[in-house]
Amino acid sequence: MEKDLNELKVQAEEKVHAAGDEKALQDAKVFFLGKKGKLTAILRSMKDLSAAERPVIGALANTVRTDVEAVIAAKAAELKAKRLEERIQSETVDITLPARHQKEGHIHPLDKALREIMKSFMRMGYSVEEGPEIEQDYYNFECLNLPKDHPARDMQDSFYITPEILLRTHTSPVQARTLRKHEPNSPIRMIAPGKVFRWDNDATHSPVFHQVEGLVVDKGIKFADLKGTLEIFLKDLFGSDTKIRFRASYFPFTEPSAEVDISFAARTHDEGGDPDWLEILGCGMVHPMVLKLNGYDPEKVSGFAFGMGIERIAMLLYGIDDLRNFYENDVRFLKQF
Ligand code: PHE
């Protein structure tokens, strides 16, 4: 019997080693160790042994069982590892394939110009204000010293929604709103960018365009402050060799009023020629009526204001000659900036 047991062990170990998959291994296990397996058959005949032999053979049978179980367990682990390895092999992804190129976005040239403008004023300590695009006639005109029948309303062809509500024709109503937001006569230094709307449409005019308003109010603000501020700003934007010219003009909400022309290197005619002047913004000293209508006392404080079109500035900065390019969003155009 001892020989039978040792043989069984050798056979079992061979079978287990030869098992190529989990099914073959399970079959081997049943064949040797199962209820109807070889080991059980041997143990069953132990009843024929003498009392002296029985414990010896019993102990050997147990060792054989444990050894064979250990070999089976080792084989099972090996097969499992092999199966995992095969899965890893068959499911690998080829990461050497070049990735599909993502299209990159660009900052829109109008936004780029606005950021330049804001950077310059924020450096000078200006805050940024906002106001509604759908505006009351009252803020857009009336409290800017433009009563209902004022002829200067014709300067800005307006889209009315009702007789009292319109799409704002300029960012100047934010002047009035900002004055009213503040404690009367307290200092203000702000810019207000945004969309504006006028009934106009050709290569240099769009019914929707963008402006940046500016307003400074404090004790003793003079025209020299306006001039100095705009000079710093325009040289920031167009370069330190930019020439600046103030031309007398008229706006109902400023007095005196001026338009500012610039001439900068990229725009100057051939050497020795006259500089090429371009109108860039409107400005002036805040009209005393505007201060009064919005809760400030023109006897105590004074101020200046200015307004500029962002499209015009972007056209000059980036050499664009048709304003409609800004709104068509043709990728071939946008990609250039
Ligand atoms: N609001 C004026 C315009 O749109 C520009 C301006 C603003 C002029 C502030 C003077 C002061 O034409």
Side-chain angles (χ1 to χ4, degrees):
M1 264 190 90
E2 191 182 332
K3 194 175 142 242
D4 288 348
L5 280 169
N6 285 329
E7 250 168 37
L8 180 141
K9 187 181 163 195
V10 172
Q11 282 173 12
E13 284 178 359
E14 263 170 24
K15 249 292 194 330
V16 167
H17 283 308
D21 57 26
E22 270 129 343
K23 167 90 174 52
L25 184 64
Q26 181 61 23
D27 289 348
K29 187 175 176 182
V30 171
F31 183 76
F32 291 104
L33 306 180
K35 265 194 194 139
K36 292 175 183 162
K38 284 209 149 186
L39 187 65
T40 317
I42 294 172
L43 291 175
R44 216 166 270 144
S45 54
M46 270 178 63
K47 61 182 187 314
D48 304 330
L49 295 176
S50 67
E53 275 177 317
R54 215 173 278 160
V56 180
I57 296 300
L60 180 64
N62 275 337
T63 315
V64 168
R65 173 183 288 277
T66 333
D67 288 354
V68 173
E69 274 171 355
V71 173
I72 289 173
K75 184 70 183 182
E78 187 193 313
L79 287 175
K80 198 175 162 194
K82 199 175 126 209
R83 202 153 43 93
L84 181 66
E85 186 56 34
E86 280 167 6
R87 252 187 80 188
I88 289 171
Q89 287 299 327
S90 69
E91 291 176 12
T92 44
V93 176
D94 180 3
I95 56 164
T96 62
L97 186 70
R100 234 169 261 157
H101 187 68
Q102 281 281 316
K103 286 208 179 94
E104 263 175 55
H106 293 260
I107 294 174
H108 193 281
L110 281 180
D111 208 30
K112 207 170 155 186
L114 174 60
R115 288 179 192 203
E116 292 291 323
I117 296 167
M118 285 172 63
K119 198 165 82 190
S120 178
F121 283 107
M122 286 166 89
R123 231 153 40 99
M124 293 191 263
Y126 284 62
S127 63
V128 178
E129 299 287 340
E130 276 183 323
E133 291 168 3
I134 300 170
E135 185 56 284
Q136 296 172 41
D137 179 276
Y138 180 72
Y139 285 111
N140 195 80
F141 290 130
E142 228 156 305
C143 65
L144 294 174
N145 198 30
L146 263 138
K148 282 261 195 279
D149 52 0
H150 199 292
R153 285 194 176 205
D154 291 348
M155 288 164 80
Q156 303 182 354
D157 293 319
S158 316
F159 290 110
Y160 274 91
I161 293 167
T162 72
E164 296 306 328
I165 295 172
L166 74 164
L167 300 180
R168 68 177 177 191
T169 56
H170 51 179
T171 42
S172 300
V174 188
Q175 284 190 38
R177 288 181 175 275
T178 305
L179 284 164
R180 284 158 188 251
K181 234 169 64 179
H182 280 75
E183 195 64 27
N185 305 325
S186 62
I188 290 172
R189 203 188 312 173
M190 70 84 170
I191 52 169
K195 274 195 176 69
V196 300
F197 309 83
R198 288 186 203 175
W199 180 232
D200 236 343
N201 199 11
D202 59 42
T204 54
H205 296 90
S206 154
V208 184
F209 60 107
H210 300 79
Q211 287 188 334
V212 178
E213 194 78 11
L215 174 68
V216 171
V217 179
D218 207 341
K219 287 197 182 89
I221 298 289
K222 296 182 286 294
F223 198 90
D225 298 313
L226 169 61
K227 262 186 100 172
T229 301
L230 290 181
E231 191 165 334
I232 290 171
F233 162 63
L234 292 169
K235 287 186 170 177
D236 254 6
L237 207 61
F238 293 103
S240 52
D241 54 354
T242 305
K243 294 191 187 66
I244 296 153
R245 178 170 87 175
F246 282 73
R247 245 181 322 103
S249 186
Y250 172 77
F251 300 101
F253 28 90
T254 46
E255 181 59 35
S257 302
E259 270 163 326
V260 178
D261 300 336
I262 61 161
S263 160
F264 63 107
R267 274 279 164 161
T268 307
H269 280 315
D270 300 336
E271 287 196 39
D274 268 346
D276 189 355
W277 291 106
L278 278 152
E279 184 192 322
I280 195 87
L281 54 82
C283 63
M285 301 307 290
V286 180
H287 196 292
M289 268 308 276
V290 173
L291 291 173
K292 206 182 275 175
L293 284 166
N294 295 290
Y296 272 58
D297 182 352
E299 298 294 326
K300 293 194 171 131
V301 291
S302 55
F304 64 75
F306 53 86
M308 67 192 91
I310 303 177
E311 278 79 354
R312 167 64 70 91
I313 288 174
M315 285 167 93
L316 291 176
L317 279 178
Y318 311 125
I320 296 160
D321 51 17
D322 190 331
L323 172 118
R324 286 169 288 202
N325 282 321
F326 290 129
Y327 314 114
E328 279 164 7
N329 288 324
D330 184 329
V331 177
R332 290 166 301 179
F333 168 75
L334 295 177
K335 257 164 111 169
Q336 299 171 52
F337 306 98

